[in-house]
Amino acid sequence: MSDLPDTENGDKSSYAAPALEKGLDILELLAEVGEPLSTREIAERLARSKSEIFRMVFVLQQRGYLAREAGTDRLELSRRLFDLGIRTPAGRQLTSIVLPVMERFSEASGQVAHLVVLSRAQTVVLATTSGHLDASVIVRPGYGRPALDANSGLLILAFQSKSRRDALMREASEADKRRLEAAETERIFADIRALGHRVAASRDIMAVTDIACPVIGPGGHAEAAILVPCLQRHGIATDEEAILKALKASCAEAGSQLSL
């Protein structure tokens, strides 16, 4: 028994909702290009008229899925889709379990910590803690980069089976899919697995060393990573070994509380 309406030829897969499809096309386009676009540019890329795109844009703005770039007429995705994503049962469980552990870590160490997951071949910061140092590196929730260009992304991918890794990277660019299969990338994954963590210069911010550990779920793969960006400062020594030891303990504690 199905709630889907039957079509005249009995093919339920042919049932269409044109307005919904146009709205999804707009959201997917903006997610893929990764930069704001004007209504005209959206219409051109989707091969639709500006008037029909305008109507959909208006509704998506009203519902909070799109926002105007400051000072321009270009549109970008708001945080609403991200917020909906972390409100799923899996997202809620992950943040509700890991965030208190991260907060205790930050209170004890003073360091900022970021909870990172993978989505659509990108890293996504789900939550952050502020620590209490007078200078630190904090990025907003929702921030992300291509998985292979981020230390947290490499870490999460290292602790996956081949099939799960391929699934996580299904929407990566063709160039990144080739990088994923390269011998050098597999060597990096093997090194990370052997160590159980990743300590490396930030691939995004200068004068920062990323210390990252996996949150391993009951299935034996990384559900997320906790990343600590250690800022290098003149005249102030940072005990990275102590930070790593405390971070490993925090990740082990968080992972032990995750359920299947």
Side-chain angles (χ1 to χ4, degrees):
M1 190 100 183
S2 172
D3 291 332
L4 287 174
D6 292 319
T7 57
E8 290 182 4
N9 61 9
D11 181 8
K12 294 174 184 175
S13 66
S14 67
Y15 182 74
L20 175 60
E21 290 176 354
K22 281 187 283 189
L24 293 174
D25 285 344
I26 292 169
L27 296 176
E28 290 175 357
L29 172 65
L30 288 170
E32 288 167 6
V33 300
E35 62 181 8
L37 297 175
S38 67
T39 303
R40 177 184 58 78
E41 289 170 326
I42 294 172
E44 289 176 353
R45 295 197 186 206
L46 296 178
R48 295 184 181 274
S49 70
K50 187 176 177 180
S51 61
E52 63 180 328
I53 292 298
F54 178 83
R55 291 193 294 272
M56 293 306 305
V57 163
F58 178 80
V59 173
L60 290 170
Q61 277 191 276
Q62 290 292 101
R63 296 296 297 267
Y65 290 95
L66 297 182
R68 294 278 179 188
E69 183 185 40
T72 76
D73 64 349
R74 291 154 65 87
L75 295 152
E76 59 188 354
L77 292 177
S78 71
R79 281 177 43 89
R80 183 161 175 74
L81 285 173
F82 170 75
D83 291 338
L84 287 175
I86 64 175
R87 283 159 53 189
T88 63
R92 286 199 303 270
Q93 187 205 38
L94 189 62
T95 53
S96 66
I97 288 173
V98 181
L99 188 55
V101 177
M102 285 171 52
E103 288 173 340
R104 290 195 295 274
F105 165 83
S106 290
E107 180 61 29
S109 67
Q111 297 288 333
V112 164
H114 300 140
L115 174 61
V116 184
V117 296
L118 292 191
S119 175
R120 301 183 60 165
Q122 303 265 331
T123 60
V124 180
V125 175
L126 285 189
T128 66
T129 57
S130 59
H132 52 72
L133 301 181
D134 58 358
S136 55
V137 179
I138 300 176
V139 297
R140 62 179 175 79
Y143 172 82
R145 305 184 68 229
L148 293 177
D149 292 335
N151 286 317
S152 56
L154 291 169
L155 178 86
I156 294 171
L157 289 171
F159 291 92
Q160 307 295 334
S161 65
K162 177 67 165 60
S163 60
R164 282 183 60 89
R165 189 182 301 156
D166 289 344
L168 287 168
M169 296 295 286
R170 185 176 296 121
E171 297 183 60
S173 67
E174 290 304 315
D176 274 0
K177 287 180 180 177
R178 290 192 294 271
R179 287 174 62 195
L180 185 68
E181 300 299 327
E184 174 62 16
T185 303
E186 182 50 49
R187 184 191 65 76
I188 293 172
F189 290 156
D191 288 346
I192 292 172
R193 287 193 299 270
L195 291 170
H197 61 264
R198 174 79 167 167
V199 177
S202 171
R203 292 173 163 228
D204 192 23
I205 304 172
M206 297 178 65
V208 168
T209 298
D210 288 339
I211 300 176
C213 294
V215 178
I216 304 294
H221 52 260
E223 298 289 350
I226 300 179
L227 182 140
V228 176
C230 292
L231 187 62
Q232 299 171 28
R233 302 176 62 191
H234 292 294
I236 299 178
T238 299
D239 190 344
E240 293 182 358
E241 286 296 327
I243 293 170
L244 176 60
K245 182 179 179 180
L247 184 59
K248 278 191 171 183
S250 295
C251 287
E253 178 186 351
S256 70
Q257 296 179 47
L258 294 178
S259 62
L260 287 169

